[in-house]
Amino acid sequence: AAGEAPSTVETGLPSVNLRLPGLEPPTPVGGARRKTSFVTAAVQAVGPSVVRIDTERLVDRPALEGYLFPDRGGEGDGQRRESGQGSGVILSEDGLIMTNAHVVKNAAKVTVTLIDGRTFDGLVRGTDEFMDLAAIRIKPSGKPLPTAPLGRSDELQVGDWAIAIGNAVGLDSTVTLGIISSLSRSAAEVGIPNKKVNFIQTDAAINPGNSGGPLLNEFGEVVGINTAIRANAAGIGFAIPIDTAEKAMKTLSAGGKISHAYLGISMLSLTPEAARLNNADPNSNVYLPEQHGALVLAVGPDTPAAKAGFRKFDLIVELAGTPISSAADAQRLVDETRVGQPLQVKVLRQQKQISLSVVTGDLSTRPERR
């Protein structure tokens, strides 16, 4: 009847049962839900062993800075104190920590901070700039140091889960998730040709400050050491395979030096298709063999390659008795040789095959580029 209040009032949409068969949420056990994420499990297992590394270094001041801003306490004449930060991972209870060489480069002071708040003075035992690895020692005190379990990077496959942990942009204990995007990326492909590492590529975000932190597999094992991001490509990061890093750490932690063989050439992979395009170009001033190989683009002066008679546009087709189909093939063989080891090389030059003999040099003693 008019003027009577309705017996029911609808204040929203009619209720709809959106629950689908077979997709009901799990029944809480004991009245509480339990975490089942493999990411959570991995982070809880490895996170305590990931450390923040703070560094201080003295750098030369620009010419006018010392005049405008007088020296402060603890700084030398014409120098200023500069701070940096990165990540690292504890490998052993006696205080061995692995990080990147660029994190501790020229550091006058290294401070290591654990997730539980403990801090230690760090001593850099050894570095290798060509692998971007460094070994730090701390003197443990109090409760035992947490350590990270190591996996095998040679067991990785493209598409495997990847978890990156570090102190991204100064934010402690940052975790990102992605997959293994590619394996055995050469340093030249990554855009840092002065390194002697074939990298793991991942889309797990690796931000400034993450350098030196671990890359984990889905089982919570360290399979890589985060090292680089590509400035011109978002979502692409690179890590040093743990198999490579673990072997290097045995030498660096003892204060030793790692020798790296080199020839002194810049190379590019050549394919028959690329060679045909070049040869069909009326503006090309060089004829390239229409086959696979490593094309020499430059020969460094006073290098083993220059002394052996390498020339620009030589096509390397065989090295140490092994056929070469790409620049990566040639680089990998050189990386596997010892410093001072002679190598027999077959190259194609002006449509003729030539044999050369080259003795590998020590990369740390190569002439400075002018």
Side-chain angles (χ1 to χ4, degrees):
E4 294 183 2
S7 58
T8 61
V9 177
E10 290 187 356
T11 58
L13 296 174
S15 61
V16 178
N17 184 8
L18 297 178
R19 184 171 296 173
L20 300 177
L23 293 182
E24 292 81 2
T27 303
V29 178
R33 290 181 297 172
R34 293 186 300 178
K35 294 285 187 180
T36 58
S37 165
F38 70 89
V39 181
T40 302
V43 172
Q44 289 176 344
V46 180
S49 65
V50 180
V51 300
R52 187 180 78 233
I53 299 174
D54 294 288
T55 61
E56 292 184 5
R57 55 179 61 87
L58 293 176
V59 297
D60 292 335
R61 289 180 170 181
L64 292 178
E65 185 177 316
Y67 175 77
L68 297 174
F69 305 99
D71 287 343
R72 290 168 289 182
E75 297 182 350
D77 292 339
Q79 293 184 314
R80 60 181 171 84
R81 193 175 299 277
E82 186 177 84
S83 61
Q85 190 178 94
S87 304
V89 59
I90 303 174
L91 299 184
S92 63
E93 290 187 358
D94 63 357
L96 177 61
I97 296 172
M98 175 164 50
T99 186
N100 288 146
H102 74 261
V103 170
V104 297
K105 185 176 182 180
N106 299 327
K109 182 180 180 181
V110 176
T111 303
V112 176
T113 304
L114 275 63
I115 196 173
D116 61 12
R118 285 184 289 170
T119 61
F120 300 90
D121 290 333
L123 174 65
V124 179
R125 290 287 296 151
T127 64
D128 189 288
E129 63 174 300
F130 302 111
M131 301 179 76
D132 199 15
L133 287 171
I136 297 175
R137 281 279 183 190
I138 61 175
K139 293 182 179 180
S141 60
K143 59 184 179 181
L145 295 175
T147 60
L150 304 186
R152 293 281 300 277
S153 51
D154 64 0
E155 295 178 352
L156 289 175
Q157 299 181 59
V158 173
D160 282 348
W161 288 109
I163 306 166
I165 307 182
N167 303 293
V169 293
L171 302 175
D172 290 354
S173 306
T174 298
V175 179
T176 57
L177 176 66
I179 62 169
I180 302 298
S181 307
S182 184
L183 297 168
S184 297
R185 285 290 193 203
S186 70
E189 290 177 303
V190 172
I192 43 176
N194 59 328
K195 303 303 179 189
K196 303 285 282 186
V197 178
N198 288 323
F199 293 95
I200 299 168
Q201 180 181 322
T202 178
D203 66 353
I206 299 176
N207 300 300
N210 266 5
S211 292
L215 186 71
L216 311 179
N217 60 17
E218 61 190 290
F219 306 110
E221 299 169 330
V222 180
V223 292
I225 299 300
N226 304 325
T227 187
I229 52 177
R230 192 162 181 168
N232 61 349
I236 299 178
F238 300 94
I240 304 166
I242 194 61
D243 295 355
T244 301
E246 184 182 15
K247 186 183 299 182
M249 286 295 291
K250 293 178 181 178
T251 300
L252 297 179
S253 63
K257 173 188 171 186
I258 300 174
S259 297
H260 299 285
Y262 89 111
L263 299 183
I265 56 178
S266 297
M267 300 178 292
L268 177 73
S269 296
L270 183 68
T271 64
E273 295 78 10
R276 281 193 288 269
L277 286 174
N278 171 83
N279 298 337
D281 185 352
N283 294 309
S284 174
N285 58 4
V286 62
Y287 176 86
L288 299 178
E290 297 178 358
Q291 66 180 80
H292 290 281
L295 184 66
V296 176
L297 298 181
V299 181
D302 301 321
T303 61
K307 296 173 184 177
F310 278 83
R311 294 291 181 268
K312 184 177 181 179
F313 297 130
D314 282 352
L315 183 68
I316 301 174
V317 293
E318 185 177 301
L319 182 61
T322 302
I324 298 299
S325 60
S326 67
D329 289 345
Q331 186 64 63
R332 184 167 51 251
L333 278 170
V334 173
D335 290 345
E336 292 172 353
T337 62
R338 302 183 309 276
V339 173
Q341 180 176 336
L343 298 175
Q344 303 304 313
V345 188
K346 291 182 180 179
V347 303
L348 294 180
R349 181 186 300 169
Q350 299 177 355
Q351 305 182 58
K352 296 181 180 179
Q353 181 169 290
I354 298 174
S355 296
L356 301 174
S357 180
V358 60
V359 178
T360 60
D362 187 340
L363 187 59
S364 64
T365 63
R366 68 179 173 181
E368 291 292 332
R369 294 181 179 178
R370 295 188 291 270

